[in-house]
Amino acid sequence: MSNDIPAAVQRALDAIDQLDADAFVAAFHTDGYVDDWGRKFQGPDRIRSWSDAEFIGKKVTFAATSVATAGNPITLLTQVGGDGFNGPSHFTFDVQDDRLASMTITA
């Protein structure tokens, strides 16, 4: 990836690549959330539950990831693979105090 990726986002991407649910959840603030196409999962327990059922638990992969919109929030375009959803998606990360405040997934 590029130097344009904030460290907090890179930690989340590394956790995704390693299928490390603990590291993925730890990348978020305690009140952080995931917005998965309009469904909101807030706090570590709900993020973990969502990830186990629909993300890292489905052996998610990212390929051909690029920065679609730089800054904060930053939006990445990636090709999602794995045993769940497969296809292109935008992931928008909002970073606050070197942790993720949110990750929003859209088309």
Side-chain angles (χ1 to χ4, degrees), residues 22-64:
D22 292 332
F24 176 71
V25 172
F28 288 84
H29 278 283
T30 56
D31 62 346
Y33 66 89
V34 169
D35 181 330
D36 182 7
W37 296 68
R39 297 177 306 135
K40 189 173 179 180
F41 304 90
Q42 188 163 14
D45 292 340
R46 295 205 61 218
I47 292 171
R48 177 63 182 248
S49 227
W50 166 81
S51 178
D52 287 350
E54 300 183 43
F55 200 56
I56 291 177
K58 292 291 187 180
K59 297 179 177 64
V60 68
T61 61
F62 283 5

Side-chain angles (χ1 to χ4, degrees), residues 9-105:
V9 174
Q10 190 60 58
R11 283 192 301 275
L13 294 174
D14 292 344
I16 293 164
D17 285 345
Q18 297 165 9
L19 299 176
D20 185 341
D22 292 332
F24 176 71
V25 172
F28 288 84
H29 278 283
T30 56
D31 62 346
Y33 66 89
V34 169
D35 181 330
D36 182 7
W37 296 68
R39 297 177 306 135
K40 189 173 179 180
F41 304 90
Q42 188 163 14
D45 292 340
R46 295 205 61 218
I47 292 171
R48 177 63 182 248
S49 227
W50 166 81
S51 178
D52 287 350
E54 300 183 43
F55 200 56
I56 291 177
K58 292 291 187 180
K59 297 179 177 64
V60 68
T61 61
F62 283 5
T65 303
S66 62
V67 175
T69 307
N72 188 35
I74 184 171
T75 301
L76 305 179
L77 173 60
T78 192
Q79 182 68 31
V80 178
D83 297 335
F85 172 83
N86 285 264
S89 289
H90 288 86
F91 285 74
T92 301
F93 297 89
D94 182 21
V95 178
Q96 302 297 325
D97 303 321
D98 201 36
R99 293 185 69 195
L100 299 180
S102 65
M103 180 181 87
T104 302
I105 308 167

